[in-house]
Amino acid sequence: MQPPFLSTYVTPEEAVRRLRQSEIVALPTETVYGLAGDAASPEAVARIFALKGRPAHNPLIVHVHSIAQAQRYAHWNDMAESLAQRYWPGPLTLVLPVQPDHVLAGAVLAGGDSVALRMPAHQVMRKVLGLFGGVLAAPSANRSGRISPTMAAHVAEEFAGQALAIVDGGACLVGLESTVVDCTGSDPVILRPGSILIEQSQPHRPDASKPLKSPGLLSSHYAPRLPVRLNAQQVEAHEALLAFGAEPLAGALCSLNLSPTGCLQEAATNLYAMLRALDASAASAIAVMPIPEKGVGKAIMDRLHRAAAPRS
Ligand code: TXA
Ligand code: MG
């Protein structure tokens, strides 16, 4: 039997009251829902890690209300200034050296000397950040390794049986997690592709001898329950089909189309909700039609490759 749903939907004002007591609240952002807590509270941050089942070596993104607030936590530089001026508020996370006198809970940084900062655009998240006054640590509101939630109901489903407060801000418009850019060197390095497309002079080749710069980017991630088969040219009768474009393959047990017009932004918006829906079907696998790896298609295929990777 399924455990009962114990989640409660709360207002932004009630969310702030709970955040001040180091409680965790699931909040909407324009990318995906986040599991938010006071980034300065060791108790709150410990609760986030425990709820998600997140490994302690994986640092959290700190959400800010303004550029001025970000500058109090990070050693700001020209690269950060121009990216923030251009893309904030929005789905872009900047990794910068942390200020030595920061008041963040240590676990947020997972023992590192850099901090990931993001100024989200979603009006509900902005309202909560404004009323709260401090900064919020918020990883995506899914259990570690699973599909990120793009609707309040996904969060309730993900944490069914837990008494979690959720602010419902509707469906997330971007649908994929923020672009993460390392701004600690002389040139920007993309650690996680997203809907914001940043020019990178050199392709990023992680050095296998060094610790992972973004430990969250493990190969198996965003994983549905069912196996995922990419670049499907035909589909079996026992498979669920994730289609793309005007000519969806025929013959699947069930199918959903990311974008019948072939629009990559629409596909990004729909990706996680459709993966979740197909994952709940009686199919034995999810077959995914080819998706062009250009523009936001790169970020879509990045997530799908992780969803299809062998599970650890
Ligand atoms: O769109 C988003 O970014 C969402 C919403 C809720 O804001 N948040 C999100 O958080 O996706 P999370 O924890 O699921 O992913 C954060 C990623 C992880 O891959 C983590 O390893 C990386 O950012 N990260 C966090 N702090 C870092 C740091 N100091 N240096 C490098 N990577 C970092
Ligand atoms: Mg995540």
Side-chain angles (χ1 to χ4, degrees):
M1 228 177 68
Q2 287 281 314
F5 282 68
L6 293 175
S7 310
T8 43
Y9 288 94
V10 300
T11 62
E13 290 76 11
E14 172 62 14
V16 171
R17 198 190 64 74
R18 291 177 184 234
L19 289 166
R20 291 208 172 110
Q21 296 175 346
S22 295
E23 287 179 34
I24 304 310
V25 182
L27 297 173
T29 83
E30 72 278 24
T31 57
V32 300
Y33 276 73
L35 216 48
D38 181 352
S41 161
E43 278 163 85
V45 172
R47 284 185 177 143
I48 295 175
F49 277 89
L51 254 176
K52 268 189 78 90
R54 184 176 179 107
H57 62 74
N58 193 2
L60 304 180
I61 296 177
V62 174
H63 296 70
V64 300
H65 191 249
S66 65
I67 293 181
Q69 198 177 33
Q71 290 168 338
R72 294 208 283 275
Y73 294 90
H75 196 81
W76 205 247
N77 58 32
D78 290 348
M79 200 192 308
E81 180 65 21
S82 65
L83 289 172
Q85 287 294 345
R86 179 146 178 214
Y87 297 111
W88 278 6
L92 176 68
T93 296
L94 304 176
V95 173
L96 287 157
V98 71
Q99 289 280 13
D101 61 349
H102 72 83
V103 293
L104 301 168
V108 170
L109 309 178
D113 50 13
S114 63
V115 60
L117 293 163
R118 167 158 125 77
M119 179 173 158
H122 195 290
Q123 286 312 310
V124 172
M125 184 66 166
R126 283 193 58 72
K127 179 170 185 181
V128 171
L129 279 165
L131 291 172
F132 180 65
V135 293
L136 294 173
S140 50
N142 52 279
R143 291 180 193 272
S144 199
R146 313 298 300 183
I147 305 171
S148 297
T150 55
M151 295 182 195
H154 296 164
V155 182
E157 186 184 292
E158 197 69 22
F159 296 99
Q162 308 257 4
L164 178 68
I166 304 171
V167 181
D168 188 351
C172 303
L173 286 179
V174 175
L176 292 177
E177 304 81 356
S178 59
T179 305
V180 179
V181 182
D182 181 3
C183 297
T184 60
S186 52
D187 289 298
V189 173
I190 296 168
L191 300 178
R192 179 174 70 184
S195 66
I196 287 186
L197 310 170
I198 307 271
E199 289 289 324
Q200 189 175 243
S201 49
Q202 311 272 326
H204 177 44
R205 303 230 184 285
D207 180 346
S209 67
K210 292 198 182 139
L212 218 55
K213 179 75 204 184
S214 221
L217 304 184
L218 300 172
S219 55
S220 171
H221 212 93
Y222 312 104
R225 178 182 59 93
L226 296 176
V228 174
R229 185 166 73 81
L230 300 181
N231 296 317
Q233 304 293 335
Q234 79 280 320
V235 67
E236 309 290 331
H238 54 85
E239 288 181 315
L241 177 70
L242 189 59
F244 177 79
E247 292 166 34
L249 297 169
L253 183 70
C254 54
S255 83
L256 288 170
N257 197 332
L258 289 169
S259 173
T261 60
C263 166
L264 289 167
Q265 185 48 65
E266 181 183 30
T269 306
N270 288 332
L271 179 67
Y272 290 147
M274 290 187 175
L275 271 179
R276 264 177 200 272
L278 295 178
D279 201 29
S281 74
S284 62
I286 300 173
V288 184
M289 285 179 64
I291 296 168
E293 285 196 57
K294 57 178 203 294
V296 70
K298 278 193 190 146
I300 295 173
M301 286 309 293
D302 168 76
R303 305 310 191 273
L304 284 170
H305 278 295
R306 292 174 207 283
R311 316 286 162 83
S312 49

